[in-house]
Amino acid sequence: MHYRNGREAKNGDKIVQLNMTTGEINAFGVLHSAVPGNDYCNGSIALIQNPQTGACMCDCLHVDDVAEILTEKGLNKR
């Protein structure tokens, strides 16, 4: 299982799900119930305040990778 950017996906990861067409963030939470060997519609996202959302690994990024991108773009500071 791998995220959109190629990073290995693991249950328990904090993730951001991106809209497959617009790239907007759809969900943020903890990946669970994902089964190795499948990057599409595999697992679920335990959201912090919203109902559970399904997770396609190819539409997700690890939260640490999002933070790194924001830092690279200079968007990590107010």
Side-chain angles (χ1 to χ4, degrees), residues 5-66:
N5 63 349
R7 182 181 180 137
E8 182 181 3
K10 295 177 269 178
N11 287 314
D13 286 349
K14 292 179 190 171
I15 62 173
V16 173
Q17 182 182 47
L18 305 175
N19 181 285
M20 71 177 95
T21 53
T22 66
E24 294 175 347
I25 294 174
N26 281 344
F28 171 78
V30 178
L31 176 65
H32 70 92
S33 304
V35 179
N38 182 6
D39 291 340
Y40 296 89
C41 299
N42 179 17
S44 296
I45 300 173
L47 301 176
I48 295 171
Q49 294 180 345
N50 295 320
Q52 182 172 305
T53 299
C56 292
M57 294 305 105
C58 61
D59 294 328
C60 295
L61 293 171
H62 192 282
V63 68
D64 292 343
D65 295 330
V66 173

